[in-house]
Amino acid sequence: MGTKSERERNFSWIKLIFFFIGLGFYPSFFYCKKIKIRIIKIIFFNYKTMLKQNDLLLANLIEEELQRQENEIELIASENYASQDIMEACWTILTNKYSEWYIGKRYYAWQEVIDKIEGLAISRAREIFGAEYINVQPLSWSPANLAVFLWVLKPGDKILWLSLDQGGHLSHGHPMNFSWILYEIIPYFLDKKTEIIDMDEVERLALENKPKLILAWFSAYSWELDWKRFRSIADSVWAILMADISHIAGLIAGWVLENPVPYCDIVTTTTHKTLRWPRWAIIMSKKEFEKDIARAVFPWVQWGPHEHIIAAKAVAFKEALMPEFKVYSKQVVENAQTLASELQKYWFRIVSGWTTNHLILVDVFWSFNVTGKQAEIALEKAWISCNKNMIPYDPRKPLDPSWIRLWTPAITTRWFKENEVKIVAKIIFEAIKNHENEEILKGLKNEILELCKKFPIYK
Ligand SMILES: Cc1ncc(COP(=O)(O)O)c(C=O)c1O
């Protein structure tokens, strides 16, 4: 964007003359406002190249990363592509404003516009999830979670949650995390045979331990959660029911999965996974918790909210309210199911037998005697990103486990459908089968490059 003097320096009359000559050849140009504005900015104000002029080293690194994202297949769970509109909103003068506290009661002056932006983000989020209270200020999920736990729990209180090695997330349940240090953790597990959460066991553990909080959540699990059953278990022991829907928020917004907000006391989510929004988080709850959650976020855990990102969230919420987002979310699950069934045809064992969401957990060790780490490296050489993971009751170690985790939201943002997903499944099979053959892996990389060229993300 640049300061005023930078913009004047970049203005060129010769460019202006060529611009108007060019316009004569493209009458439809007049009707496409968005393209017109972008092209005017690029031609006259070197809009995109400002960083290149002032910090070439950094600009080149960003360009390098852009090329990587354009040219590889992204199957790492949690990574997706935010739209250009969202990135444009992140990149605004709103970053200049301090606006601690909440709408109507900020500490500093001149908050009218900021209040309207934050209000817009909240009202759009409410339209999606229907929560009575929504806090859009958390800087990411981890501080959002810290705020909720500090408010709800006292040190030593018991929490019942999905065990880390069964599909939980490192941000909970790792001995180095504050949650492990401050609270008593009671893990629940998957059924050994079905590899689906054993709700009878959740109930038994709840009745036996009387936890203060039950957390329904996952980071590596491919079945729907039974919200109704979680609610009734929480009610039977007077526990608070919290859901972390970081992984499935987009599928809920796209009406593919059931919304847990009516069942839960508190719902938290990141905003950059299936939602493909800016890297951020929100907290939702019943109205009665508003005061406590608001205070826990600010000033207990964090100070000035990042209003430029809140503005980007408002853009993102609008995108999620569009009919296309429902088409996208449905396609995410269809692609995951196509990938799962294709991999099964190649004799891969799918953990839990199937997927009803966007995740596929593949037991590569059982299938091909290749470890999760070896599979991850082979796929990276073929320009497919994924991550190794423990399977429930995995006999192997966390840093070299038995399975890999795949997800389909990013390839669906590129608009991959059945045909492309079948090609990806074939390449995964070839790469893992030939994980020690550099020549074959190189050939597979070229196939991936060709495929990506046909489905660009930002170009
Ligand atoms: C279920 C779940 N919750 C929380 C997080 C952490 O979110 P953040 O990186 O915003 O702290 C993750 C990250 O992948 C996750 O999978």
Side-chain angles (χ1 to χ4, degrees), residues 78 140-142 169 171 217-219 244 246-247 270 272-273:
S78 299
S140 87
W141 183 85
S142 311
H169 187 259
S171 56
W217 73 316
F218 63 81
S219 194
D244 169 6
S246 292
H247 257 275
T270 57
H272 47 269
K273 299 182 197 293

Side-chain angles (χ1 to χ4, degrees), residues 104-116:
K105 45 186 172 186
R106 312 266 185 190
Y107 186 67
Y108 291 133
W110 293 107
Q111 303 286 349
E112 287 81 356
V113 174
I114 297 295
D115 278 1
K116 279 185 197 158

Side-chain angles (χ1 to χ4, degrees), residues 255-397:
W255 294 6
V256 175
L257 294 183
E258 191 181 11
N259 184 3
V261 166
Y263 298 101
C264 297
D265 301 300
I266 305 153
V267 177
T268 55
T269 180
T270 57
T271 52
H272 47 269
K273 299 182 197 293
T274 41
L275 285 169
R276 46 178 203 189
W277 296 349
R279 193 161 284 277
W280 218 251
I282 56 175
I283 303 175
M284 299 180 269
S285 75
K286 305 244 178 314
K287 184 83 182 147
E288 66 205 79
F289 300 137
E290 170 169 357
K291 241 180 159 174
D292 296 315
I293 291 180
R295 191 184 330 118
V297 172
F298 169 89
W300 282 10
V301 170
Q302 62 183 54
W303 221 252
H306 298 184
E307 291 295 339
H308 55 305
I309 306 290
I310 291 177
K313 276 189 208 175
V315 177
F317 293 137
K318 188 166 180 233
E319 285 180 5
L321 284 165
M322 307 293 252
E324 300 90 80
F325 196 79
K326 293 184 180 55
V327 179
Y328 165 75
S329 303
K330 196 163 163 272
Q331 189 68 48
V332 167
V333 178
E334 278 174 21
N335 282 348
Q337 293 180 340
T338 304
L339 188 55
S341 74
E342 286 299 303
L343 291 174
Q344 278 171 332
K345 282 183 204 161
Y346 291 115
W347 298 102
F348 282 103
R349 186 179 92 80
I350 305 297
V351 178
S352 318
W354 188 235
T355 179
T356 59
N357 60 27
H358 57 302
L359 287 171
I360 304 136
L361 311 163
V362 188
D363 187 346
V364 283
F365 195 69
W366 182 91
S367 310
F368 291 94
N369 213 19
V370 172
T371 69
K373 190 175 167 187
Q374 286 171 323
E376 185 186 280
I377 293 169
L379 289 171
E380 200 177 312
K381 288 182 181 165
W383 280 43
I384 293 179
S385 296
C386 74
N387 70 292
K388 57 184 175 294
N389 231 312
M390 298 274 283
I391 48 169
Y393 309 105
D394 198 333
R396 298 188 58 80
K397 300 219 158 57

Side-chain angles (χ1 to χ4, degrees), residues 52-65:
K52 267 203 168 132
Q53 286 179 29
N54 297 333
D55 191 342
L56 187 60
L57 179 63
L58 182 67
N60 285 343
L61 288 172
I62 294 171
E63 178 64 27
E64 198 181 313
E65 174 63 11

